[in-house]
């Protein structure tokens, strides 16, 4: 039976993609389309719809952070994945607290289990999305959820597609 190709590539880790505006208006959106593309040098791609406020901010500042949530933040994932930062402050709306990143101006999100701070190196026009290729500047994880190089079972939300989320290890 014919299927959407991208659904066949899920489940994917769903994360908060944070960005900073020149005017200090930070933003956060839920994102699942991402992949490492090189270990040496460390590089990652995130795919963001050209229409999203996040795309505008990443093009402006050249920076973003990947914040990998625990299942406690599942409600916030839906808020940040269905509303635009053009209209509202999603940090407030989703009750997410910002943390200062170590190397970039985009904020991190308290309570997340993993963080990847990134600097944009190339913008690929990929159709409806920009594929943002970026250098990984620093990456870290909370050992309660990530140990010996792997995520521990049952802690990290994975996007199956549509409105379906499962937990790794379920
Ligand atoms: C689970 C989930 C995963 C998502 N993954 C992506 C994605 O990979 N790329 C994308 O452009 N939008 C994705 N979205 C949609 C955006 O999060 C959503 O359109 C958001 O409102 C954009 O916000 P912004 O305008 O503030 O940037 C996802 C939404 C959800 C709920």
């Amino acid at each position: 039976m014919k299927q959407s190709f991208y659904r066949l590539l899920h489940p994917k880790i769903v994360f908060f993609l944070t960005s900073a505006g020149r005017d200090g208006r930070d933003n956060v959106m839920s994102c699942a389309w991402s992949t490492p593309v090189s270990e040496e040098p460390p590089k990652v791609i995130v795919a963001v719809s050209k229409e999203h406020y996040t795309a505008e901010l990443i093009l402006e500042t050249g920076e973003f952070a990947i914040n990998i949530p625990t299942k406690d933040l599942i409600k916030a994932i839906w808020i940040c994945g269905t509303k635009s930062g053009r209209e509202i402050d999603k940090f407030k709306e989703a009750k997410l607290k910002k943390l200062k990143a170590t190397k970039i101006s985009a904020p991190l999100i308290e309570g997340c289990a993993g963080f990847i701070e990134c600097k944009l190196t190339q913008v690929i026009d990929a159709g409806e999305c920009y594929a943002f290729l970026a250098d990984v500047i620093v990456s870290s994880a909370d050992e309660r959820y990530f140990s010996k190089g792997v995520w521990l079972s049952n802690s990290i939300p994975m996007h199956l597609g549509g409105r379906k989320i499962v937990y790794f290890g379920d």
Side-chain angles (χ1 to χ4, degrees):
M1 200 196 292
K2 240 183 145 189
Q3 300 287 353
S4 291
F5 76 96
Y6 69 90
R7 287 284 179 100
L8 299 176
L9 293 169
H10 283 238
K12 289 192 147 306
I13 282 185
V14 53
F15 55 88
F16 295 116
L17 182 60
T18 46
S19 49
R22 263 199 207 122
D23 56 359
R25 269 211 308 154
D26 300 331
N27 194 37
V28 47
M29 72 162 241
S30 302
C31 188
W33 286 9
S34 172
T35 183
V37 286
S38 163
E39 194 179 354
E40 194 49 57
K43 283 184 178 281
V44 69
I45 279 183
V46 294
V48 178
S49 166
K50 290 175 180 173
E51 293 180 354
H52 293 348
Y53 184 47
T54 297
E56 200 179 307
L57 295 186
I58 292 175
L59 288 172
E60 261 179 39
T61 62
E63 296 181 344
F64 60 85
I66 290 171
N67 304 259
I68 299 166
T70 65
K71 56 162 82 177
D72 298 335
L73 291 168
I74 201 83
K75 220 176 137 191
I77 290 172
W78 293 120
I79 294 170
C80 297
T82 49
K83 300 190 175 186
S84 177
R86 269 199 197 91
E87 277 96 49
I88 57 157
D89 178 346
K90 285 192 262 183
F91 291 95
K92 263 198 197 141
E93 183 91 359
K95 298 190 174 66
L96 293 172
K97 211 174 149 211
K98 292 181 212 173
L99 299 172
K100 222 175 150 12
T102 57
K103 305 276 186 197
I104 59 170
S105 54
L108 304 183
I109 294 178
E110 192 177 81
C112 283
F115 302 98
I116 306 173
E117 295 180 28
C118 304
K119 286 198 179 179
L120 187 66
T121 55
Q122 202 181 325
V123 179
I124 299 151
D125 185 331
E128 100 210 14
C129 288
Y130 290 120
F132 291 123
L133 175 66
D135 285 334
V136 171
I137 306 303
V138 55
S139 53
S140 63
D142 184 329
E143 285 174 6
R144 285 174 299 167
Y145 305 102
F146 188 90
S147 177
K148 296 183 183 141
V150 292
W151 288 111
L152 302 177
S153 293
N154 212 16
S155 52
I156 297 303
M158 307 281 295
H159 190 215
L160 273 179
R163 291 203 56 88
K164 291 205 181 88
I165 284 191
V166 288
Y167 300 100
F168 175 69
D170 270 3

